[in-house]
Short mmCIF file of all heavy atoms in Angstrom, two decimals:
data_model
loop_
_atom_site.label_atom_id
_atom_site.label_comp_id
_atom_site.label_asym_id
_atom_site.label_seq_id
_atom_site.Cartn_x
_atom_site.Cartn_y
_atom_site.Cartn_z
N MET A 1 17.64 0.23 -7.92
CA MET A 1 16.55 1.00 -7.40
C MET A 1 15.98 0.25 -6.13
O MET A 1 15.98 -1.05 -6.23
CB MET A 1 15.43 1.06 -8.46
CG MET A 1 14.39 2.08 -8.11
SD MET A 1 13.32 2.36 -9.53
CE MET A 1 11.70 1.89 -8.87
N LYS A 2 15.66 0.91 -5.10
CA LYS A 2 15.14 0.26 -3.94
C LYS A 2 13.79 -0.30 -4.27
O LYS A 2 12.90 0.35 -4.88
CB LYS A 2 15.08 1.29 -2.77
CG LYS A 2 16.47 1.55 -2.22
CD LYS A 2 16.32 2.45 -1.08
CE LYS A 2 17.76 2.80 -0.47
NZ LYS A 2 17.65 3.76 0.56
N LYS A 3 13.52 -1.51 -3.66
CA LYS A 3 12.13 -2.04 -3.72
C LYS A 3 11.60 -2.08 -2.27
O LYS A 3 12.21 -2.42 -1.40
CB LYS A 3 12.16 -3.44 -4.32
CG LYS A 3 12.65 -3.47 -5.76
CD LYS A 3 12.45 -4.89 -6.38
CE LYS A 3 11.01 -5.11 -6.73
NZ LYS A 3 10.79 -6.33 -7.33
N TYR A 4 10.24 -1.82 -2.27
CA TYR A 4 9.49 -1.85 -0.95
C TYR A 4 8.30 -2.83 -1.09
O TYR A 4 7.67 -2.95 -2.03
CB TYR A 4 9.02 -0.45 -0.74
CG TYR A 4 10.24 0.54 -0.49
CD1 TYR A 4 10.47 1.54 -1.52
CD2 TYR A 4 10.83 0.60 0.68
CE1 TYR A 4 11.48 2.36 -1.37
CE2 TYR A 4 11.75 1.70 0.84
CZ TYR A 4 12.13 2.50 -0.23
OH TYR A 4 13.05 3.46 0.07
N VAL A 5 8.01 -3.36 0.14
CA VAL A 5 6.77 -4.07 0.41
C VAL A 5 5.95 -3.10 1.16
O VAL A 5 6.39 -2.52 2.16
CB VAL A 5 7.11 -5.33 1.17
CG1 VAL A 5 5.75 -5.95 1.44
CG2 VAL A 5 7.86 -6.18 0.34
N TYR A 6 4.73 -2.93 0.78
CA TYR A 6 3.79 -2.00 1.52
C TYR A 6 2.71 -2.83 2.43
O TYR A 6 2.23 -3.74 1.82
CB TYR A 6 2.99 -1.10 0.45
CG TYR A 6 3.92 -0.15 -0.20
CD1 TYR A 6 4.65 -0.56 -1.30
CD2 TYR A 6 4.21 1.11 0.42
CE1 TYR A 6 5.54 0.45 -1.90
CE2 TYR A 6 5.08 2.01 -0.27
CZ TYR A 6 5.75 1.57 -1.30
OH TYR A 6 6.61 2.50 -1.95
N GLU A 7 2.54 -2.34 3.58
CA GLU A 7 1.60 -3.03 4.41
C GLU A 7 0.87 -1.95 5.21
O GLU A 7 1.30 -0.88 5.45
CB GLU A 7 2.31 -3.97 5.46
CG GLU A 7 2.84 -5.25 4.79
CD GLU A 7 3.76 -6.00 5.62
OE1 GLU A 7 4.14 -5.52 6.77
OE2 GLU A 7 4.05 -7.11 5.30
N ILE A 8 -0.40 -2.28 5.52
CA ILE A 8 -1.27 -1.39 6.31
C ILE A 8 -1.50 -1.84 7.78
O ILE A 8 -1.87 -3.01 7.93
CB ILE A 8 -2.68 -1.21 5.53
CG1 ILE A 8 -2.34 -0.53 4.16
CG2 ILE A 8 -3.56 -0.29 6.31
CD1 ILE A 8 -3.52 -0.47 3.23
N ALA A 9 -1.34 -0.85 8.58
CA ALA A 9 -1.59 -1.19 9.99
C ALA A 9 -2.08 0.21 10.68
O ALA A 9 -1.46 1.26 10.37
CB ALA A 9 -0.28 -1.63 10.75
N GLY A 10 -3.00 0.11 11.50
CA GLY A 10 -3.60 1.36 12.20
C GLY A 10 -4.43 2.19 11.16
O GLY A 10 -4.66 3.33 11.42
N CYS A 11 -5.17 1.48 10.39
CA CYS A 11 -5.97 2.10 9.33
C CYS A 11 -7.29 2.60 9.93
O CYS A 11 -7.83 1.98 10.83
CB CYS A 11 -6.31 0.99 8.29
SG CYS A 11 -7.51 1.63 7.05
N THR A 12 -7.71 3.76 9.50
CA THR A 12 -8.96 4.42 10.04
C THR A 12 -10.11 4.16 9.03
O THR A 12 -11.13 4.67 9.23
CB THR A 12 -8.76 5.97 10.29
OG1 THR A 12 -8.56 6.64 9.07
CG2 THR A 12 -7.59 6.11 11.30
N ALA A 13 -9.79 3.52 8.01
CA ALA A 13 -10.77 3.14 7.01
C ALA A 13 -11.35 4.30 6.21
O ALA A 13 -12.56 4.34 5.86
CB ALA A 13 -11.98 2.31 7.61
N CYS A 14 -10.56 5.31 5.98
CA CYS A 14 -10.96 6.58 5.37
C CYS A 14 -11.25 6.29 3.81
O CYS A 14 -12.06 6.93 3.29
CB CYS A 14 -9.88 7.78 5.52
SG CYS A 14 -8.50 7.49 4.51
N GLY A 15 -10.51 5.29 3.32
CA GLY A 15 -10.67 4.88 1.94
C GLY A 15 -9.93 5.54 0.87
O GLY A 15 -9.96 5.16 -0.35
N ASP A 16 -9.17 6.52 1.25
CA ASP A 16 -8.24 7.26 0.32
C ASP A 16 -7.37 6.42 -0.60
O ASP A 16 -7.28 6.61 -1.76
CB ASP A 16 -7.43 8.30 0.93
CG ASP A 16 -8.32 9.63 1.52
OD1 ASP A 16 -9.52 9.55 1.06
OD2 ASP A 16 -7.77 10.28 2.14
N CYS A 17 -6.69 5.46 0.12
CA CYS A 17 -5.74 4.55 -0.63
C CYS A 17 -6.50 3.72 -1.60
O CYS A 17 -5.95 3.35 -2.63
CB CYS A 17 -4.96 3.75 0.33
SG CYS A 17 -5.87 2.67 1.40
N VAL A 18 -7.69 3.26 -1.26
CA VAL A 18 -8.47 2.38 -2.21
C VAL A 18 -8.66 3.17 -3.45
O VAL A 18 -8.59 2.70 -4.56
CB VAL A 18 -9.71 2.05 -1.60
CG1 VAL A 18 -10.49 1.12 -2.51
CG2 VAL A 18 -9.54 1.20 -0.26
N GLU A 19 -9.04 4.48 -3.33
CA GLU A 19 -9.23 5.28 -4.55
C GLU A 19 -7.88 5.49 -5.27
O GLU A 19 -7.93 5.44 -6.53
CB GLU A 19 -9.68 6.71 -4.06
CG GLU A 19 -11.04 6.66 -3.32
CD GLU A 19 -12.16 6.50 -4.31
OE1 GLU A 19 -12.07 7.17 -5.33
OE2 GLU A 19 -13.13 5.73 -3.87
N GLU A 20 -6.88 5.74 -4.63
CA GLU A 20 -5.51 5.96 -5.23
C GLU A 20 -4.92 4.73 -5.98
O GLU A 20 -4.17 4.93 -6.88
CB GLU A 20 -4.57 6.51 -4.24
CG GLU A 20 -4.90 7.90 -3.72
CD GLU A 20 -4.68 8.90 -4.90
OE1 GLU A 20 -3.81 8.81 -5.71
OE2 GLU A 20 -5.56 9.86 -4.95
N CYS A 21 -5.19 3.57 -5.52
CA CYS A 21 -4.47 2.43 -6.09
C CYS A 21 -4.93 2.14 -7.49
O CYS A 21 -6.11 1.58 -7.65
CB CYS A 21 -4.56 1.25 -5.23
SG CYS A 21 -3.65 -0.15 -5.89
N ARG A 22 -4.20 2.43 -8.45
CA ARG A 22 -4.66 2.19 -9.85
C ARG A 22 -4.57 0.70 -10.21
O ARG A 22 -5.17 0.35 -11.31
CB ARG A 22 -3.73 3.06 -10.74
CG ARG A 22 -2.43 2.45 -10.96
CD ARG A 22 -1.49 3.44 -11.82
NE ARG A 22 -0.80 4.35 -10.93
CZ ARG A 22 0.14 5.21 -11.34
NH1 ARG A 22 0.52 5.11 -12.55
NH2 ARG A 22 0.70 6.02 -10.48
N PHE A 23 -4.07 -0.12 -9.43
CA PHE A 23 -3.90 -1.57 -9.81
C PHE A 23 -4.98 -2.27 -8.90
O PHE A 23 -5.07 -3.52 -9.04
CB PHE A 23 -2.51 -2.02 -9.38
CG PHE A 23 -1.47 -1.37 -10.09
CD1 PHE A 23 -0.64 -0.34 -9.50
CD2 PHE A 23 -1.38 -1.44 -11.50
CE1 PHE A 23 0.36 0.30 -10.11
CE2 PHE A 23 -0.24 -0.87 -12.26
CZ PHE A 23 0.56 0.11 -11.53
N LYS A 24 -5.85 -1.57 -8.32
CA LYS A 24 -6.93 -2.20 -7.60
C LYS A 24 -6.46 -3.37 -6.48
O LYS A 24 -7.07 -4.35 -6.42
CB LYS A 24 -7.95 -2.70 -8.39
CG LYS A 24 -8.53 -1.85 -9.54
CD LYS A 24 -9.96 -1.78 -9.61
CE LYS A 24 -10.50 -0.76 -10.61
NZ LYS A 24 -10.24 0.66 -10.19
N ALA A 25 -5.37 -2.98 -5.86
CA ALA A 25 -4.67 -3.90 -5.00
C ALA A 25 -5.16 -3.70 -3.56
O ALA A 25 -4.74 -4.48 -2.70
CB ALA A 25 -3.21 -3.87 -5.09
N ILE A 26 -6.04 -2.73 -3.29
CA ILE A 26 -6.30 -2.52 -1.89
C ILE A 26 -7.82 -2.73 -1.85
O ILE A 26 -8.71 -2.19 -2.50
CB ILE A 26 -6.06 -1.04 -1.39
CG1 ILE A 26 -4.65 -0.74 -1.73
CG2 ILE A 26 -6.35 -0.92 0.03
CD1 ILE A 26 -4.11 0.70 -1.37
N GLU A 27 -8.22 -3.54 -0.74
CA GLU A 27 -9.58 -3.86 -0.57
C GLU A 27 -9.95 -3.48 0.92
O GLU A 27 -9.21 -3.53 1.91
CB GLU A 27 -9.77 -5.35 -0.61
CG GLU A 27 -11.25 -5.78 -0.63
CD GLU A 27 -11.38 -7.30 -0.62
OE1 GLU A 27 -10.30 -8.08 -0.81
OE2 GLU A 27 -12.48 -7.73 -0.40
N MET A 28 -11.10 -2.81 1.06
CA MET A 28 -11.64 -2.41 2.35
C MET A 28 -12.31 -3.55 3.02
O MET A 28 -13.12 -4.20 2.43
CB MET A 28 -12.61 -1.16 2.20
CG MET A 28 -12.88 -0.59 3.52
SD MET A 28 -11.48 0.08 4.45
CE MET A 28 -11.02 1.56 3.37
N THR A 29 -11.89 -3.85 4.28
CA THR A 29 -12.46 -4.94 4.96
C THR A 29 -13.10 -4.42 6.37
O THR A 29 -12.87 -3.21 6.63
CB THR A 29 -11.41 -6.06 5.36
OG1 THR A 29 -10.50 -5.55 6.36
CG2 THR A 29 -10.55 -6.49 4.08
N ASP A 30 -13.62 -5.30 7.20
CA ASP A 30 -14.09 -4.86 8.45
C ASP A 30 -13.05 -4.40 9.32
O ASP A 30 -13.34 -3.53 10.19
CB ASP A 30 -14.72 -6.16 9.13
CG ASP A 30 -15.87 -6.65 8.41
OD1 ASP A 30 -16.54 -5.93 7.56
OD2 ASP A 30 -16.46 -7.73 8.82
N LYS A 31 -11.73 -4.77 9.16
CA LYS A 31 -10.67 -4.35 9.90
C LYS A 31 -9.88 -3.17 9.22
O LYS A 31 -8.78 -2.93 9.65
CB LYS A 31 -9.75 -5.51 10.29
CG LYS A 31 -10.49 -6.46 11.12
CD LYS A 31 -9.73 -7.74 11.37
CE LYS A 31 -10.45 -8.63 12.31
NZ LYS A 31 -10.09 -10.08 12.15
N GLY A 32 -10.36 -2.62 8.15
CA GLY A 32 -9.60 -1.53 7.50
C GLY A 32 -9.11 -2.07 6.17
O GLY A 32 -9.46 -3.23 5.69
N ALA A 33 -8.35 -1.19 5.52
CA ALA A 33 -7.83 -1.57 4.18
C ALA A 33 -6.84 -2.62 4.25
O ALA A 33 -6.02 -2.65 5.25
CB ALA A 33 -7.22 -0.26 3.54
N VAL A 34 -6.77 -3.53 3.22
CA VAL A 34 -5.77 -4.56 3.23
C VAL A 34 -5.25 -4.59 1.73
O VAL A 34 -5.92 -4.52 0.79
CB VAL A 34 -6.40 -5.84 3.48
CG1 VAL A 34 -5.42 -7.01 3.32
CG2 VAL A 34 -6.81 -5.90 4.97
N ILE A 35 -3.80 -4.71 1.73
CA ILE A 35 -3.19 -4.79 0.30
C ILE A 35 -3.04 -6.22 -0.01
O ILE A 35 -2.70 -7.14 0.65
CB ILE A 35 -1.76 -4.11 0.50
CG1 ILE A 35 -1.96 -2.56 0.79
CG2 ILE A 35 -1.01 -4.34 -0.91
CD1 ILE A 35 -0.59 -1.88 0.95
N ASP A 36 -3.55 -6.53 -1.28
CA ASP A 36 -3.38 -7.90 -1.87
C ASP A 36 -1.96 -7.86 -2.40
O ASP A 36 -1.68 -7.14 -3.49
CB ASP A 36 -4.39 -8.08 -2.98
CG ASP A 36 -4.30 -9.42 -3.58
OD1 ASP A 36 -3.24 -10.13 -3.45
OD2 ASP A 36 -5.23 -9.86 -4.20
N GLN A 37 -1.02 -8.55 -1.84
CA GLN A 37 0.37 -8.45 -2.26
C GLN A 37 0.61 -8.95 -3.67
O GLN A 37 1.53 -8.62 -4.37
CB GLN A 37 1.41 -9.11 -1.30
CG GLN A 37 1.28 -8.51 0.13
CD GLN A 37 1.88 -7.04 0.04
OE1 GLN A 37 2.57 -6.64 -0.80
NE2 GLN A 37 1.57 -6.29 1.14
N ALA A 38 -0.37 -9.79 -4.01
CA ALA A 38 -0.23 -10.53 -5.35
C ALA A 38 -0.47 -9.44 -6.51
O ALA A 38 -0.06 -9.59 -7.54
CB ALA A 38 -1.17 -11.67 -5.52
N LYS A 39 -1.32 -8.39 -6.08
CA LYS A 39 -1.74 -7.40 -7.11
C LYS A 39 -0.77 -6.18 -7.03
O LYS A 39 -0.84 -5.31 -7.91
CB LYS A 39 -3.19 -7.05 -6.99
CG LYS A 39 -4.13 -8.05 -7.34
CD LYS A 39 -5.61 -7.59 -7.16
CE LYS A 39 -6.58 -8.58 -7.54
NZ LYS A 39 -7.96 -8.18 -7.05
N CYS A 40 -0.31 -5.97 -5.94
CA CYS A 40 0.50 -4.67 -5.56
C CYS A 40 1.76 -4.69 -6.52
O CYS A 40 2.55 -5.60 -6.69
CB CYS A 40 0.93 -4.60 -4.11
SG CYS A 40 2.00 -3.24 -3.69
N ARG A 41 1.97 -3.48 -7.09
CA ARG A 41 3.04 -3.11 -7.91
C ARG A 41 4.14 -2.17 -7.28
O ARG A 41 5.02 -1.73 -7.97
CB ARG A 41 2.61 -2.50 -9.24
CG ARG A 41 1.48 -3.35 -9.95
CD ARG A 41 2.07 -4.46 -10.71
NE ARG A 41 1.04 -5.12 -11.50
CZ ARG A 41 0.60 -4.87 -12.67
NH1 ARG A 41 1.23 -3.80 -13.33
NH2 ARG A 41 -0.28 -5.52 -13.31
N SER A 42 3.94 -1.92 -6.00
CA SER A 42 4.86 -1.22 -5.23
C SER A 42 5.09 0.15 -5.93
O SER A 42 6.18 0.66 -5.86
CB SER A 42 6.20 -1.93 -5.09
OG SER A 42 6.12 -3.19 -4.41
N CYS A 43 3.99 0.78 -6.28
CA CYS A 43 4.09 2.09 -6.86
C CYS A 43 4.21 3.23 -5.77
O CYS A 43 4.68 4.21 -6.16
CB CYS A 43 2.85 2.37 -7.78
SG CYS A 43 1.36 2.63 -6.92
N GLY A 44 3.69 2.94 -4.58
CA GLY A 44 3.86 3.82 -3.49
C GLY A 44 2.73 4.90 -3.32
O GLY A 44 2.83 5.71 -2.47
N MET A 45 1.75 4.85 -4.17
CA MET A 45 0.70 5.84 -4.20
C MET A 45 -0.12 5.88 -2.82
O MET A 45 -0.44 6.88 -2.42
CB MET A 45 -0.27 5.69 -5.39
CG MET A 45 0.33 6.12 -6.79
SD MET A 45 0.85 7.86 -6.72
CE MET A 45 -0.75 8.62 -6.75
N CYS A 46 -0.33 4.66 -2.47
CA CYS A 46 -1.07 4.43 -1.13
C CYS A 46 -0.36 5.13 0.03
O CYS A 46 -0.86 5.73 0.87
CB CYS A 46 -1.40 3.01 -0.84
SG CYS A 46 0.04 1.91 -0.84
N TYR A 47 0.98 4.93 -0.06
CA TYR A 47 1.93 5.41 0.97
C TYR A 47 1.86 6.88 0.97
O TYR A 47 1.73 7.58 2.01
CB TYR A 47 3.35 4.98 0.66
CG TYR A 47 4.38 5.39 1.70
CD1 TYR A 47 4.55 4.69 2.97
CD2 TYR A 47 5.25 6.40 1.36
CE1 TYR A 47 5.43 5.03 3.83
CE2 TYR A 47 6.18 6.71 2.41
CZ TYR A 47 6.36 6.04 3.45
OH TYR A 47 7.33 6.44 4.45
N GLU A 48 1.83 7.54 -0.16
CA GLU A 48 1.78 8.97 -0.24
C GLU A 48 0.37 9.47 0.02
O GLU A 48 0.24 10.59 0.66
CB GLU A 48 2.06 9.44 -1.72
CG GLU A 48 3.45 9.04 -2.30
CD GLU A 48 4.44 9.82 -1.60
OE1 GLU A 48 4.26 10.84 -1.10
OE2 GLU A 48 5.66 9.26 -1.66
N ALA A 49 -0.65 8.66 -0.28
CA ALA A 49 -2.05 9.23 -0.05
C ALA A 49 -2.49 8.97 1.41
O ALA A 49 -3.38 9.84 1.83
CB ALA A 49 -3.03 8.28 -0.90
N CYS A 50 -1.99 8.21 2.26
CA CYS A 50 -2.50 7.96 3.55
C CYS A 50 -2.13 9.10 4.44
O CYS A 50 -0.99 9.26 4.80
CB CYS A 50 -2.03 6.66 4.04
SG CYS A 50 -2.79 6.33 5.86
N ALA A 51 -3.24 9.91 4.89
CA ALA A 51 -3.01 11.04 5.86
C ALA A 51 -2.80 10.55 7.26
O ALA A 51 -2.58 11.33 8.22
CB ALA A 51 -4.00 12.02 5.73
N HIS A 52 -3.04 9.17 7.52
CA HIS A 52 -2.99 8.76 8.84
C HIS A 52 -1.72 7.91 9.13
O HIS A 52 -1.71 7.22 10.14
CB HIS A 52 -4.22 7.95 9.08
CG HIS A 52 -5.52 8.70 8.80
ND1 HIS A 52 -6.16 9.64 9.69
CD2 HIS A 52 -6.24 8.72 7.71
CE1 HIS A 52 -7.16 10.15 9.06
NE2 HIS A 52 -7.24 9.68 7.86
N SER A 53 -0.74 7.97 8.22
CA SER A 53 0.43 7.08 8.45
C SER A 53 0.13 5.66 8.76
O SER A 53 0.80 4.99 9.48
CB SER A 53 1.26 7.66 9.49
OG SER A 53 1.66 9.06 9.26
N ALA A 54 -0.90 5.11 8.13
CA ALA A 54 -1.23 3.68 8.26
C ALA A 54 -0.56 2.75 7.20
O ALA A 54 -0.62 1.55 7.37
CB ALA A 54 -2.77 3.60 8.28
N VAL A 55 -0.01 3.43 6.19
CA VAL A 55 0.64 2.53 5.21
C VAL A 55 2.11 2.57 5.52
O VAL A 55 2.85 3.60 5.66
CB VAL A 55 0.47 3.10 3.75
CG1 VAL A 55 1.14 2.23 2.74
CG2 VAL A 55 -1.00 3.12 3.49
N HIS A 56 2.69 1.41 5.70
CA HIS A 56 4.06 1.25 6.11
C HIS A 56 4.86 0.61 4.99
O HIS A 56 4.34 -0.33 4.29
CB HIS A 56 4.15 0.43 7.35
CG HIS A 56 3.31 0.97 8.55
ND1 HIS A 56 3.77 1.85 9.45
CD2 HIS A 56 1.96 0.67 8.80
CE1 HIS A 56 2.79 2.20 10.31
NE2 HIS A 56 1.62 1.49 9.89
N ARG A 57 6.07 0.89 4.76
CA ARG A 57 6.88 0.27 3.73
C ARG A 57 8.09 -0.26 4.33
O ARG A 57 8.81 0.19 5.22
CB ARG A 57 7.11 1.25 2.63
CG ARG A 57 8.07 2.35 2.91
CD ARG A 57 8.24 3.21 1.63
NE ARG A 57 9.31 4.19 1.89
CZ ARG A 57 9.66 5.16 0.99
NH1 ARG A 57 9.02 5.20 -0.09
NH2 ARG A 57 10.51 6.04 1.23
N LYS A 58 8.50 -1.41 3.84
CA LYS A 58 9.67 -2.17 4.18
C LYS A 58 10.58 -2.30 2.98
O LYS A 58 10.07 -2.75 1.93
CB LYS A 58 9.30 -3.46 4.74
CG LYS A 58 9.35 -3.56 6.27
CD LYS A 58 9.07 -5.05 6.73
CE LYS A 58 8.20 -5.84 6.04
NZ LYS A 58 7.55 -6.98 6.72
N GLU A 59 11.79 -2.04 3.12
CA GLU A 59 12.72 -2.28 1.98
C GLU A 59 12.99 -3.68 1.89
O GLU A 59 13.18 -4.41 2.84
CB GLU A 59 14.03 -1.52 2.29
CG GLU A 59 14.84 -1.16 1.08
CD GLU A 59 16.06 -0.34 1.29
OE1 GLU A 59 15.96 0.59 2.13
OE2 GLU A 59 17.08 -0.59 0.80
N THR A 60 13.00 -4.24 0.65
CA THR A 60 13.25 -5.59 0.41
C THR A 60 14.61 -5.78 -0.30
O THR A 60 15.07 -4.92 -1.01
CB THR A 60 12.19 -6.23 -0.57
OG1 THR A 60 12.08 -5.51 -1.76
CG2 THR A 60 10.87 -6.21 0.22
N GLN A 61 15.11 -6.97 -0.06
CA GLN A 61 16.53 -7.38 -0.64
C GLN A 61 16.28 -8.05 -1.98
O GLN A 61 15.15 -8.36 -2.29
CB GLN A 61 17.25 -8.29 0.29
CG GLN A 61 17.47 -7.68 1.74
CD GLN A 61 18.43 -6.51 1.69
OE1 GLN A 61 19.38 -6.41 0.91
NE2 GLN A 61 18.26 -5.43 2.55
N GLY A 62 17.22 -8.16 -2.67
CA GLY A 62 17.22 -8.98 -3.85
C GLY A 62 17.12 -8.16 -5.14
O GLY A 62 16.86 -6.92 -5.05
N SER A 63 17.33 -8.72 -6.21
CA SER A 63 17.31 -8.12 -7.55
C SER A 63 16.11 -8.54 -8.19
O SER A 63 15.52 -9.59 -7.93
CB SER A 63 18.57 -8.56 -8.29
OG SER A 63 18.69 -9.88 -8.37
N SER A 64 15.84 -7.79 -9.29
CA SER A 64 14.64 -8.24 -10.06
C SER A 64 15.05 -8.14 -11.60
O SER A 64 15.81 -7.34 -11.97
CB SER A 64 13.46 -7.25 -9.78
OG SER A 64 13.78 -6.02 -10.12
S1 SF4 B 101 1.99 0.42 -3.48
FE1 SF4 B 101 0.71 1.01 -5.33
S2 SF4 B 101 -0.01 -0.99 -6.20
FE2 SF4 B 101 0.64 -1.28 -4.13
S3 SF4 B 101 -1.26 -1.14 -2.91
FE3 SF4 B 101 -0.07 0.86 -2.84
S4 SF4 B 101 -1.07 2.06 -4.43
FE4 SF4 B 101 -1.65 -0.06 -4.82
S1 SF4 B 102 -5.58 6.01 3.32
FE1 SF4 B 102 -4.72 5.09 5.21
S2 SF4 B 102 -6.30 5.36 6.82
FE2 SF4 B 102 -7.23 5.65 4.76
S3 SF4 B 102 -7.97 3.58 4.20
FE3 SF4 B 102 -5.92 3.80 3.33
S4 SF4 B 102 -4.57 2.96 4.96
FE4 SF4 B 102 -6.55 3.31 5.92
#
């Protein structure tokens, strides 16, 4: 199974992803939403939720 790292860039601070993240890994800051990678479980809900294409995902290598 592919694994992804999620990052936010170009955020309009709408707050949708903060609501969607069931692991409470996204925090709203002065500069928009930020993902706490230590809490993120790579579920992809924020990626699906962002209507502004501000959540970006990168495929990661390695096994788990
Ligand atoms: S991928 Fe899932 S756990 Fe990670 S920040 Fe997005 S919604 Fe939260
Ligand atoms: S859903 Fe997208 S635009 Fe809205 S706060 Fe999250 S990253 Fe920013």
Side-chain angles (χ1 to χ4, degrees):
M1 200 172 120
K2 287 180 179 175
K3 292 191 76 178
Y4 296 100
V5 172
Y6 292 85
E7 285 171 352
I8 295 172
C11 176
T12 65
C14 73
D16 287 352
C17 62
V18 180
E19 298 282 318
E20 285 296 323
C21 182
R22 75 188 85 170
F23 302 106
K24 308 228 178 295
I26 309 178
E27 193 184 347
M28 191 59 72
T29 72
D30 291 349
K31 291 172 181 158
V34 173
I35 296 174
D36 181 342
Q37 298 295 340
K39 291 184 185 170
C40 177
R41 305 284 182 88
S42 299
C43 71
M45 287 303 290
C46 55
Y47 183 78
E48 301 291 335
C50 183
H52 306 276
S53 302
V55 180
H56 306 271
R57 68 178 185 183
K58 260 190 318 207
E59 205 175 317
T60 58
Q61 303 292 324
S63 54
S64 61

